[in-house]
Amino acid sequence: MKLIKYTFEFIIIILLFLIFKIVGIKISRNVSSFIFKNFGSFFRSKKTSRANLSMAFPNFNEIEKDKILTNMWVNYGKIFAEYMFIKKFRKSKKFSSQVIIENQEELEKIKSFNKPVIFISGHFNNFELMAMHLEKSGIDLAAIYRPLNNLFLNPIMEKIRKKYICKKQIKKGITGTKELLKEFKKGTSIALMIDQRVSEGVESDFFGKKALTTTIPAQFIKKFDVAVVPIYIERLVDDKFKLKIFENVKFSQDDSVDKITLKLNKILEKMIITNPDQWIWTHGRWKI
């Protein structure tokens, strides 16, 4: 059954990308957001999204939840359409000017210090543009990614990411962590999403509930006394983006892995609370 589903997904996505290439980004966003708004549950569990939202915001009524999830699917669709134009976001001044950068000077400081840092964020709208901007700004960067489940689409996605988003793509997992450590020791900064469930993580509080959370940032902090730099991106009403670089977060060597991980989760929480409909709620975040 999975093979049939993956094949169907692959054919549909390739056909859509061919159409998107012809009609341009504006129409593509509209078409894709309509599809995801109405049929997104075919690709991702509608039940999981609502359960996650209810977990994080138990006081929200059903109308508020519906609005957030509807906007999430619209944003999801726009992100999908933008993959067809990711090359232009990388190389075209017209497209790159649509990403407004706040606190670019923080990146200049990082480069001047000539010491690697850890960038953390979550799957916000459009998350791929964050790693792209970091690398375009001259940061030697390695980004951790989770391979797609679809074995036909994953090679295409990996090629897109390595060519236009961030050259050093490291697969999530034990082998990837070893590669990450190797890159870091050579002076390469790390970019990773801390908002997904990881089987090798620790149970840390996230919106008042325990959630398996990666300890990679905490482990690097403990071993190398490295600075952590949160970054966040949001989609504006005109489909431009605002990407914010926060000041680095420093920890004491006396801080435990659990304490560091909890603090990073709290930073992520604040980002989500700012714009709940711009975070992707479809992952099994609280699954223990």
Side-chain angles (χ1 to χ4, degrees), residues 59 157 216 278:
N59 295 326
M157 182 59 69
I216 289 176
Q278 298 220 8

Side-chain angles (χ1 to χ4, degrees), residues 64-90:
E64 290 171 315
K65 292 176 188 175
D66 286 341
K67 183 178 180 181
I68 289 171
L69 292 177
T70 296
N71 289 339
M72 180 205 72
W73 283 117
V74 168
N75 287 326
Y76 215 144
K78 290 181 178 182
I79 295 169
F80 173 76
E82 285 158 359
Y83 276 108
M84 185 63 241
F85 305 92
I86 207 73
K87 177 180 178 180
K88 292 188 176 182
F89 277 102
R90 178 81 190 205

Side-chain angles (χ1 to χ4, degrees), residues 118-131 134 144 190-196 206 213-214 217 228-234 242-246 264-265 267-272 278-280 283 285:
I118 297 179
F119 295 95
I120 63 153
S121 191
H123 288 81
F124 299 105
N125 210 332
N126 175 332
F127 55 90
E128 299 284 19
L129 300 179
M130 291 188 284
L134 294 177
I144 300 177
I190 299 166
L192 76 161
M193 305 295 193
I194 62 170
D195 60 343
Q196 286 189 319
F206 190 54
T213 307
T214 180
V228 174
V229 181
I231 58 176
Y232 173 74
I233 190 167
E234 64 177 305
K242 184 169 75 171
L243 193 161
K244 182 175 180 179
I245 317 294
F246 290 82
L264 296 181
N265 262 357
I267 291 171
L268 182 67
E269 274 186 25
K270 290 180 181 178
M271 293 179 179
I272 295 170
Q278 298 220 8
W279 189 54
I280 296 175
H283 302 129
R285 187 65 190 92

Side-chain angles (χ1 to χ4, degrees), residues 231-267:
I231 58 176
Y232 173 74
I233 190 167
E234 64 177 305
R235 186 184 299 271
L236 306 178
V237 290
D238 54 0
D239 281 324
K240 290 184 179 179
F241 300 91
K242 184 169 75 171
L243 193 161
K244 182 175 180 179
I245 317 294
F246 290 82
E247 292 184 3
N248 68 70
V249 182
K250 293 182 179 178
F251 295 88
S252 166
Q253 286 297 292
D254 295 328
D255 290 337
S256 67
V257 167
D258 286 351
K259 184 175 180 180
I260 295 169
T261 303
L262 175 61
K263 184 169 182 178
L264 296 181
N265 262 357
K266 294 306 166 184
I267 291 171

